[in-house]
């Protein structure tokens, strides 16, 4: 597995190894195959963070394992809880890079919003993450580690439990998951394994800004739900909002959605649409959206624009959002307006980045920038 650091750790981390990789590692270690299966269960189902608790393994074997391996998660450098119960963890990796993971509790479920990259190479003009300079792919262990941190913090081991607080996963945190496909796929296989983290593919949604060549593969290999960040109905506007549109314009993107494996009326593709005042929020935009979606099993998620410091857009008015939603709804599509969650801790869609970068700057650069970092980061609603 690619390591994110240049310094080799003393102990190899077993968290992040898939079934085959763990079996191969144990084979090299001289352990019998059933030991790999027992370890798998302890790591991903019971959440063991220490070999000492693995009582089904003999003491000498546990000691041998501890001498060579570790079971580590990313370090939590900050954890915040919003007034609405949303939690945000700022995670720090050994190379000093950071990402954010957000848990959104609702009455009947709890959704974990997972990051796939540090920052994002795409530069959507309304997204805070897109303004971050530092970018790298997350490793498998860093992606799986986000789910394990949430399970640790919420006391949710062993994995298959009733009344869980993490019932759903959305890849809607920092980064473009289809630009880090291999690691995201390997991590999701661990997350979906019924004897692993045990979250069904039906409860997992991958959101993409429209990396057309990877969409089919995602459906065929992972069969997770797809969400597409559409945000505009005309190429000239989408080019400005989601610059990747210049490479894969709306017609190509929608064609990939039309043929997404496994989509049906029971498993619709979600089209995300951030409501930006005077940019994409008119009734004629809504009517054009309905025409574009014809023939696709679709639902529309209207996201009131979440402001961030220095953002060049404003959120549409409540009346404009309602009118837009009514038009889409009248055409037969579900078009809920997503209630912003965790805005007070900058955990809402598109607000991720601030804490990590501000902290990093305040740590590294004294004086003027450090003073800026002390400003209250909360957006004005
Ligand atoms: N990179 C992926 C997934 C992460 S973004 C993607 O773009 O789909 C998750 C969702 O939040 C996307 O639909 C994104 O367009 C949206 N988003 C980004 N910034 C936003 C903001 N400031 N307000 C509302 N939604 C935003
Ligand atoms: Fe990247 Fe998604 Fe933000 Fe665009 S909206 S910059 S693809 S994280």
């Amino acid at each position: 597995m690619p390591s994110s650091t240049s310094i080799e750790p003393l102990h190899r981390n077993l968290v992040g190894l898939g079934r085959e990789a763990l079996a191969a590692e144990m084979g090299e270690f001289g352990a019998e195959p059933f030991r790999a299966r027992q370890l798998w269960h302890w790591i991903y189902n019971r959440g063991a963070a220490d070999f000492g608790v693995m009582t089904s393994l003999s003491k000498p074997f546990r000691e041998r394992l501890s001498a060579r391996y570790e079971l580590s998660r990313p370090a939590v450098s900050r954890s915040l809880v919003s007034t609405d119960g949303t939690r945000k963890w700022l995670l720090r990796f050994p190379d000093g890079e950071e990402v954010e993971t957000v848990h959104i509790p609702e009455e009947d479920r709890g959704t974990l919003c997972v990051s796939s990259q540090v920052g994002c190479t795409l530069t959507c003009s309304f997204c805070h993450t897109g303004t971050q300079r530092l970018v790298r792919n997350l490793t498998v262990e860093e992606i799986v580690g986000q789910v394990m941190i949430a399970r640790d913090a919420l006391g949710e081991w062993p994995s298959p439990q009733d009344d869980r607080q993490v019932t759903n996963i959305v890849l809607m945190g920092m980064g473009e998951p289809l630009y880090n496909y291999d690691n995201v796929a390997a991590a999701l296989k661990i997350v979906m394994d019924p004897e692993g983290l045990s979250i069904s593919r039906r409860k997992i949604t991958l959101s993409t800004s429209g990396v057309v060549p990877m969409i089919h593969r995602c459906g065929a290999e992972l069969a997770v739900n797809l969400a597409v960040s559409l945000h505009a109905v005309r190429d000239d506007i989408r080019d400005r909002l989601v610059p990747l549109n210049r490479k894969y314009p709306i017609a190509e993107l929608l064609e990939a959605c039309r043929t997404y494996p496994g989509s049906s009326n029971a498993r619709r593709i979600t089209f995300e649409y951030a409501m930006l005042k005077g940019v994409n929020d008119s009734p004629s935009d809504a009517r054009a959206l309905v025409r574009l979606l014809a023939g696709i099993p679709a639902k529309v998620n209207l996201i009131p624009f979440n402001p961030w410091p220095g953002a060049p857009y404003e959120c549409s008015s409540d009346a404009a959002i309602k009118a837009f939603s009514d038009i889409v709804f009248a055409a037969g599509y579900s078009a809920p307006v997503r209630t912003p969650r965790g805005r007070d801790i900058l955990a809402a869609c598109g607000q991720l980045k601030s804490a990590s970068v501000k902290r990093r700057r305040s740590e590294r650069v004294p004086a003027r920038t450090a003073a800026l970092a002390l400003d209250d980061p909360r957006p004005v609603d």
Side-chain angles (χ1 to χ4, degrees):
M1 196 199 320
S3 166
S4 56
T5 52
S6 49
I7 310 156
E8 276 299 310
L10 285 174
H11 292 79
R12 179 166 190 201
N13 191 11
L14 293 182
V15 171
L17 296 190
R19 276 193 184 272
E20 295 77 32
L22 186 61
E25 184 70 33
M26 284 301 105
E28 267 178 42
F29 190 60
E32 295 165 67
F34 79 97
R35 294 283 178 221
R37 290 197 293 275
Q38 285 177 313
L39 258 178
W40 174 272
H41 182 82
W42 280 110
I43 299 171
Y44 297 120
N45 194 278
R46 306 288 289 270
D50 178 343
F51 296 103
V53 302
M54 300 182 175
T55 45
S56 60
L57 306 179
S58 73
K59 200 154 178 250
F61 184 55
R62 282 185 261 156
E63 281 166 4
R64 276 185 63 218
L65 286 169
S66 325
R68 173 94 161 259
Y69 300 110
E70 62 182 25
L71 298 168
S72 67
R73 283 90 154 116
V76 177
S77 63
R78 202 139 61 116
S79 126
L80 298 172
V81 185
S82 157
T83 49
D84 68 16
T86 301
R87 280 168 186 252
K88 180 167 86 167
W89 294 278
L90 178 63
L91 305 180
R92 182 187 282 246
F93 305 120
D95 65 354
E97 296 302 344
E98 294 176 324
V99 295
E100 293 173 328
T101 306
V102 177
H103 178 252
I104 306 146
E106 285 170 280
E107 240 167 56
D108 54 341
R109 63 180 167 183
T111 303
L112 192 71
C113 181
V114 169
S115 294
S116 55
Q117 298 181 307
V118 172
C120 186
T121 46
L122 300 170
T123 50
C124 303
S125 52
F126 56 95
C127 173
H128 207 191
T129 307
T131 65
Q132 186 166 329
R133 280 173 301 119
L134 288 161
V135 179
R136 75 163 169 82
N137 280 338
L138 295 187
T139 62
V140 183
E141 71 188 73
E142 290 165 345
I143 299 169
V144 173
Q146 296 175 60
V147 184
M148 297 179 77
I149 287 281
R151 283 270 165 86
D152 289 347
L154 299 167
E156 301 223 296
W157 302 108
S159 280
Q161 266 184 20
D162 290 338
D163 299 329
R164 293 199 296 203
Q165 294 183 74
V166 179
T167 57
N168 294 52
I169 303 248
V170 291
L171 280 140
M172 294 186 186
M174 297 165 69
E176 169 49 57
L178 295 187
Y179 272 2
N180 185 16
Y181 180 79
D182 290 344
N183 291 351
V184 166
L188 287 184
K189 282 179 187 150
I190 297 171
V191 170
M192 295 190 291
D193 190 299
E195 247 203 89
L197 287 156
S198 188
I199 295 176
S200 136
R201 63 189 71 232
R202 295 184 181 279
K203 306 273 185 193
I204 299 178
T205 302
L206 182 147
S207 173
T208 180
S209 56
V211 185
V212 167
M214 296 303 295
I215 287 180
H216 188 271
R217 194 168 160 205
C218 171
E221 292 179 0
L222 302 175
V224 293
N225 301 311
L226 183 70
V228 171
S229 295
L230 189 62
H231 305 309
V233 292
R234 281 175 22 205
D235 281 322
D236 58 337
I237 298 174
R238 194 163 190 271
D239 282 351
R240 276 196 284 133
L241 299 179
V242 184
L244 186 66
N245 194 65
R246 296 185 199 135
K247 205 163 173 192
Y248 307 117
I250 294 174
E252 282 180 34
L253 176 57
L254 294 181
E255 189 48 35
C257 294
R258 239 171 231 114
T259 53
Y260 187 69
S263 71
S264 65
N265 280 340
R267 289 193 79 195
R268 292 166 190 270
I269 296 174
T270 303
F271 288 88
E272 296 161 280
Y273 199 98
M275 298 299 294
L276 307 171
K277 187 184 244 169
V279 176
N280 63 359
D281 62 350
S282 71
S284 77
D285 287 318
R287 287 189 289 272
L289 177 60
V290 168
R291 287 195 296 276
L292 281 179
L293 295 183
I296 303 176
K299 54 187 173 187
V300 176
N301 230 328
L302 300 176
I303 318 175
F305 170 66
N306 287 308
W308 37 273
Y313 299 102
E314 277 179 71
C315 184
S316 307
S317 68
D318 289 351
I321 296 176
K322 167 100 178 39
F324 196 105
S325 167
D326 287 349
I327 292 170
V328 178
F329 185 75
Y333 296 97
S334 139
V337 180
R338 202 193 276 172
T339 318
R341 299 290 305 263
R343 271 188 179 180
D344 57 341
I345 55 169
L346 283 180
C349 291
Q351 291 184 315
L352 302 185
K353 132 168 179 171
S354 43
S356 53
V357 168
K358 279 184 172 168
R359 262 173 65 91
R360 191 177 302 121
R361 280 193 190 147
S362 66
E363 279 162 11
R364 290 187 184 163
V365 189
R368 204 178 67 87
T369 327
L372 281 178
L374 295 175
D375 289 349
D376 185 345
R378 282 175 298 178
V380 182
D381 284 335

